[in-house]
Amino acid sequence: MKFIVNALRRVEGDSYVTLNARIYSFLLWGLTNPKVLSPAHTLRQMIRIGVEALPMASLVALSVGFILAMQASTELGKLGANSFIPDLVSLSLLRELGPLLIAIIVVGRSGSAVAAELGTMKVNEEIEALKVMAISPVRFLVIPRYLALMIMLPILTVFGNCVGLAGGWAVCVGTLDMTSSFYITHAVQRPEVWDLYSGLIKSAVFAHLIITIACYQGLGVTGGAEGVGRATTASVVYSILWIIIADAALTGLFFFAL
Amino acid sequence: MSRAPRQINSGPKKIFQPGEVILEVRDLTMVFGDRRVLDNIRFQVRAGETFVIMGGSGCGKTTLLRCLIGAQKPTSGSIHLFGEDITRMDPIEMDRIRLRFGMNFQFGALFQSMTVGENIALPLQEHSEVDPSLIEMIVKMKLELVGLTGFETFMPSALSGGMRKRVGLARAMALDPEILFSDEPTSGLDPVMTAVVDQLTLDSTRKIGATAVVVSHDMTSVFRIATRILMIGNGPRQGQVVAEGTPEEIRKNPDPFLQQFVKGEADGPIPLRMAQDDYLKHLLGDG
Ligand SMILES: Nc1ncnc2c1ncn2[C@@H]1O[C@H](COP(=O)(O)OP(=O)(O)OP(=O)(O)O)[C@@H](O)[C@H]1O
Ligand SMILES: [Mg+2]
């Protein structure tokens, strides 16, 4: 164990892969020595990058719930299949739209903030000062943010799913003369546990991508304030790109290959 | 703030007696693109010395210091710090060496998201088993040394440039390092504060027996603290050692380049402005 950790920490260079190697080395180390993971910092980051995204995530999830139900009603209504709307809303949310949209909100809100914050620290020589004090910037700065997002994004996603279902309910009950009990039974019974889990696995993968890309871009800043701006933009653009690619790959894996 | 465990085993370490070579630089060259910023620098620093590196702006002093602390790998050459070649070290070994020296950055490099007190406390929290109440006391002591009593709770952004530099110095000294690297610790300070910081450097070498490597081009301060001086050239002598010796030897050295720098004269061999003909050619753009 110690051997693997040290081997990973010895990796030199500043590529995306080496950043990941360092993160894993500290996580592995944290298994035997939880203090390495600085729980207090992690908690503070969970509040900063997780809890503070709650209002925005709820608003988006609620709107998506509305949209799904309304769009479904126009087409399914023609077929006289309005009773399938709850199934459609809950399946789309759990499997796909919940994880994806919440992740995109978090990219814009927290990923960019992390990239800008670490980038400013880099420009200000703070990262170098940490290294010179023999404090690993990955352990001190990246790990708390990594853990915070890995924990908070799936939680936000579950929460967003619930809010989205409520949005669908409002449309169905308000405009389509559906009873609440009908909506709830269908929306909750139709999805299988795997539908929820597949969404959560997706959101964990997204969290990993968001935070590693943001930290990589932030720590790699060169060239002053302009560099910080470039890194922030790059972190948002690449995160969204890779999230969608990963989503396609995972959807293919979960619902076609397995 | 939670306290991280001691992660770095400092292991058995050799204690350097005054006069032993504690830092040795051999044929250090640093090239950025096609610019040779440091050219075959070589010198030795002995334990207990106050070694001053001076030279014009842009001659590569900060770059040299960054190489010495392992923040940058030189293009070629070796650096033996505490008897070990740090240019061939892996990150874990390097951390062991880093615990033994402190670095005061040219622009402070304070952590903007932490208070002054937290900045100074950080190395203690990370690398010692000291009790939090004791850390608080050490922070107060270090702040008192640099004349900033009562500023513990200030954020770095609320300090003046000179105050930031002094906090940087206090942080560099938090772990009582064996070697203190200091990049222009007195630039931007008033004469009284300059004298205080100089005295601090002297105290750490004379009283505590530490070694100081100081970058400076403030001549009063240089001659006040230095036991030995290294002068690096710029212009046609970019990054080369112009002279090395005790303050007396430097004063007596007839090198016109050195004399111009020491006396602070505008006219001399140090090229700053162009000759009139060259200037015209340069402006008109014909080669
Ligand atoms: N990362 C880098 N890339 C390219 N050139 C660099 C880099 N760092 C420094 N330089 C160049 O190296 C030279 C020396 O820079 P350095 O910061 O070491 O000067 P200095 O002697 O500390 O000057 P000052 O007294 O003004 O602080 C400068 O000409 C600078 O342009
Ligand atoms: Mg400098």
Side-chain angles (χ1 to χ4, degrees), chain A residues 124-144:
Chain A
N124 194 24
E125 289 186 309
E126 290 175 49
I127 303 287
E128 191 165 313
L130 277 177
K131 283 189 192 158
V132 168
M133 291 177 179
I135 300 171
S136 159
V138 173
R139 201 207 90 236
F140 192 71
L141 298 172
V142 176
I143 291 291

Side-chain angles (χ1 to χ4, degrees), chain B residues 244-276:
Chain B
E244 196 208 318
T246 61
E248 269 318 294
E249 287 166 352
I250 292 290
R251 261 201 207 121
K252 289 193 190 125
N253 194 318
D255 188 316
F257 199 93
L258 187 66
Q259 285 309 317
Q260 186 194 349
F261 197 83
V262 171
K263 296 197 181 116
E265 291 160 344
D267 288 325
I270 299 179
L272 189 66
R273 319 255 331 238
M274 293 173 150
Q276 204 144 22

Side-chain angles (χ1 to χ4, degrees), chain B residues 57-58 60-63 106-107 183-184 215 217:
Chain B
S57 185
K61 303 180 296 293
T62 299
T63 308
Q106 186 169 2
F107 302 106
D183 197 349
E184 300 191 12
V215 165
H217 39 211

Side-chain angles (χ1 to χ4, degrees), chain A residues 141-158:
Chain A
L141 298 172
V142 176
I143 291 291
R145 289 168 175 76
Y146 180 89
L147 286 175
L149 200 65
M150 291 299 283
I151 297 169
M152 289 313 284
L153 191 60
I155 293 179
L156 274 176
T157 302
V158 170

